[in-house]
Amino acid sequence: MKMDFLRVAGLIFLGGWVSAAELLSDPWFVETAAKAGVTHRHHKRKFSNPYAHIMQGYTALGAAVAVADFDGDGWDDFYLTDSGEDGRNALYRNNGDFTFTDVANRAGVAQGNDAGNASSDALWFDYDNDARPDLFVVRFGSSLLYRNLGEGRFKEVSKEAGLDRYANAMTAIAFDYDNDADLDLFVGAYFQPVNIFKPDTPRFFPENFETANNGGGVAVFRNNGDGTFADVTRAAGFNLSGWTLDLGHADYDNDGDQDLYVAADFGTDRLFRNEGDGTFRDVTEKATGIDTKKGMNVDWADYDNDGLQDLYVVNGWVSAGEENYVLDIFEMILKPDVDMADARSWPPMGEKSLSGYQNNRLFHNDGVGFKDVAKQHGLDSTKDGRGVGVADFDNDGRLDVIVANAGETPLLYRNQAPKVHHWVQFRLQGTRSAKSAVGARVTVGAGDETQIRFVDGGNSFAGQSSARLHFGLGSAKRLDRVEVRWPGGPAEIFPVTQVDRMHTLVEGEGKR
């Protein structure tokens, strides 16, 4: 079965095919962040070093959102980052009525920004396999690992886990690459491990838009199963120095283990095939053939099967004044013998925009192609969107959306589309494999359609969506087939037929 590759900012599965009449109905989404109590604001990091005049263009990131049910009460919660020097990160607990309460201070996860560190991303993953999602805060500087102690409390354990190294990390993803029943960690870095807040050299910018071999690359940390991690980057087959913006995993060749795509802002994107022996092989040239040298994001989905999915894309780099900084970059590139790695070679950005004020997009899959319906359904904001989190926050069978915006408050969209179609959701629980079941793939047959979803470990730039798997079923009133292929293990058939509800599927309780 083929797994198709999408480079997008997030995915929304809205419930199967939608008719033209329904597309012309009232807006599907209502923005409700303030009403829901979500008032957290992201602040861009300001620099006081000699290169601050252009740093803001390359650090206008860090607005991330990560979704998980951290307290195990059956309602998805979310974490939002800030990047300001004194900024607080926020943990919003779902109250069950589409309102949320920031409990970050009480939980012990509000910190993350100071003079030498700035939050850039966040990832939930159960590193100790105790069925409670732990929190990894990705930072320019040294990243933080918070262990979930239960009862709404966390403990910072970065040093004892072996994850306290200095790296200007931009993204992280967790999956069990060696099929030993615990989650391993992959961290992508943007800049080299230099102190970008007080650099001791001016030569820390991309040396070339095409090759750009002076970035932070990718680090691989193997989970030792005892609460610690070992750096196995070289042993696993990674020797990269690109400017990594995002990582995405999937079993693209259907051989039972997870492969990895590396999206580089500057330099070449890479696709690594998992060899099944603890190593990866670079198959970029054979598998993709061409790269545009500006990878911004990566996600995977079987977008062209009979269960027609919709695609959500967030745009906008830096919105400021009317003048366009891109023209200044082009002028710099055309000059002979310019040392682009030297920050002093770059023109000051000032209040110029860099590909700013772009509308967000919602592409609806109608079975023939994609149609942008964002404006029609209230999603066409021009804020500088970064991370996207998709989850059924009110457990009504319709997927809602939260968008983290650089330098702005987030947008929380409640899905109010007409309930004219059926749906089903699954929560997976591993026993032989990791309890979070990352990498498990579910195939659902209903009527004449067959659809596939898998539990991912943090795909999508600066955004992590719900671990629950959602299927839109159209007019189908029952499930004909539910098959789960667990990570590294055999497939199981579950005798589940009821629609319009969530089911929990436990490894070992199905039929092989």
Side-chain angles (χ1 to χ4, degrees):
M1 193 163 289
K2 181 181 178 182
M3 190 64 86
D4 295 285
F5 174 64
L6 300 175
R7 290 168 60 173
V8 301
L11 292 167
I12 300 178
F13 309 124
L14 290 176
W17 187 81
V18 180
S19 69
E22 289 159 346
L23 277 175
L24 297 174
S25 65
D26 293 334
W28 288 338
F29 293 93
V30 175
E31 203 291 308
T32 186
K35 182 179 179 180
V38 181
T39 58
H40 172 82
R41 186 184 188 91
H42 175 266
H43 298 86
K44 301 176 185 178
R45 174 55 62 98
K46 295 181 179 179
F47 294 85
S48 58
N49 62 48
Y51 320 109
H53 64 290
I54 47 99
M55 288 291 289
Q56 62 262 37
Y58 286 85
T59 55
L61 303 168
V65 57
V67 175
D69 180 8
F70 82 89
D71 53 3
D73 65 353
W75 300 87
D76 273 327
D77 317 290
F78 56 86
Y79 188 79
L80 289 167
T81 57
D82 196 357
S83 303
E85 183 169 335
D86 300 317
R88 292 176 57 261
N89 296 332
L91 174 59
Y92 279 97
R93 182 182 182 275
N94 193 331
N95 298 322
D97 58 359
F98 219 88
T99 68
F100 301 81
T101 302
D102 185 1
V103 297
N105 279 333
R106 186 169 69 220
V109 295
Q111 304 305 313
N113 302 289
D114 52 41
N117 298 276
S119 300
S120 56
D121 197 5
L123 174 74
W124 295 101
F125 78 112
D126 182 11
Y127 84 96
D128 53 2
N129 211 29
D130 64 354
R132 291 192 292 257
D134 309 294
L135 179 64
F136 188 62
V137 180
V138 182
R139 302 196 298 179
F140 285 135
S142 300
S143 297
L144 299 171
L145 177 64
Y146 290 99
R147 183 186 178 199
N148 190 335
L149 304 176
E151 299 181 351
R153 296 179 299 114
F154 292 79
K155 178 184 178 182
E156 201 259 297
V157 294
S158 312
K159 185 175 183 178
E160 60 192 77
L163 297 175
D164 61 334
R165 68 167 54 186
Y166 193 95
N168 290 307
M170 178 63 76
T171 183
I173 196 169
F175 58 92
D176 184 8
Y177 81 89
D178 51 3
N179 287 330
D180 64 351
D182 51 34
L183 299 183
D184 310 295
L185 183 66
F186 295 71
V187 180
Y190 199 63
F191 293 94
Q192 303 173 53
V194 301
N195 186 339
I196 62 172
F197 305 100
K198 294 183 178 180
D200 57 7
T201 174
R203 302 194 76 256
F204 63 97
F205 263 50
E207 46 88 18
N208 184 294
F209 284 155
E210 294 295 312
T211 58
N213 288 320
N214 64 335
V218 175
V220 183
F221 297 94
R222 183 181 183 274
N223 194 328
N224 295 323
D226 59 1
T228 67
F229 292 82
D231 185 343
V232 296
T233 306
R234 294 296 179 94
F238 290 86
N239 184 21
L240 300 177
S241 55
W243 293 69
T244 309
L245 264 186
D246 199 25
L247 302 169
H249 77 96
D251 181 9
Y252 87 92
D253 52 1
N254 200 25
D255 65 352
D257 48 37
Q258 299 296 304
D259 312 294
L260 182 71
Y261 192 94
V262 180
D265 193 7
F266 306 105
T268 302
D269 286 11
R270 299 286 179 183
L271 175 60
F272 287 88
R273 181 182 185 273
N274 192 331
E275 298 291 87
D277 58 1
T279 68
F280 290 77
R281 179 165 56 93
D282 187 344
V283 296
T284 308
E285 184 175 353
K286 180 179 180 181
T288 61
I290 188 172
D291 175 53
T292 60
K293 305 293 196 303
K294 48 181 176 290
M296 294 287 184
N297 187 39
V298 54
D299 208 338
W300 297 81
D302 185 12
Y303 82 95
D304 60 352
N305 66 4
D306 289 337
L308 306 176
Q309 302 171 10
D310 302 297
L311 176 67
Y312 187 86
V313 180
V314 169
N315 299 304
W317 191 352
V318 180
S319 300
E322 293 183 1
E323 293 186 88
N324 191 350
Y325 185 62
V326 173
L327 301 178
D328 296 347
I329 295 177
F330 285 158
E331 183 177 345
M332 176 190 64
I333 295 173
L334 294 175
K335 291 181 180 178
D337 303 320
V338 173
D339 184 0
M340 292 179 59
D342 192 328
R344 295 170 298 184
S345 300
W346 290 68
M349 186 171 182
E351 292 300 316
K352 296 180 180 180
S353 289
L354 188 55
S355 299
Y357 300 105
Q358 297 182 16
N359 293 97
N360 293 343
R361 308 288 186 183
L362 173 65
F363 291 106
H364 173 70
N365 186 338
D366 62 6
V368 178
F370 289 91
K371 178 181 180 181
D372 179 13
V373 295
K375 182 176 181 180
Q376 179 180 340
H377 293 296
L379 292 166
D380 61 334
S381 169
T382 57
K383 291 185 177 182
D384 288 346
R386 296 295 183 260
V388 177
V390 180
D392 183 3
F393 287 120
D394 49 4
N395 290 343
D396 68 349
R398 295 174 293 191
L399 293 178
D400 312 296
V401 185
I402 181 167
V403 179
N405 299 296
E408 289 275 3
T409 54
L411 297 166
L412 177 60
Y413 295 102
R414 189 173 192 178
N415 190 334
Q416 298 186 161
K419 290 185 176 181
V420 295
H421 301 303
H422 296 289
W423 57 274
V424 68
Q425 294 178 1
F426 298 103
R427 184 195 298 121
L428 273 62
Q429 181 180 323
T431 53
R432 186 202 62 82
S433 58
K435 290 183 179 179
S436 54
V438 171
R441 188 178 70 185
V442 177
T443 302
V444 169
D448 296 329
E449 296 183 352
T450 299
Q451 302 180 58
I452 299 173
R453 307 280 187 271
F454 74 100
V455 182
D456 74 75
N459 289 355
S460 187
F461 175 73
Q464 182 178 20
S465 296
S466 176
R468 303 177 191 173
L469 300 182
H470 177 97
F471 293 80
L473 303 175
S475 60
K477 297 180 180 179
R478 59 167 285 136
L479 305 176
D480 300 318
R481 176 173 173 247
V482 175
E483 178 187 276
V484 181
R485 180 174 177 179
W486 301 95
E492 295 180 343
I493 303 296
F494 287 81
V496 176
T497 61
Q498 293 180 313
V499 302
D500 299 333
R501 64 186 59 197
M502 186 176 70
H503 302 273
T504 297
L505 306 181
V506 180
E507 185 178 15
E509 295 185 358
K511 295 182 180 180
R512 296 185 179 179

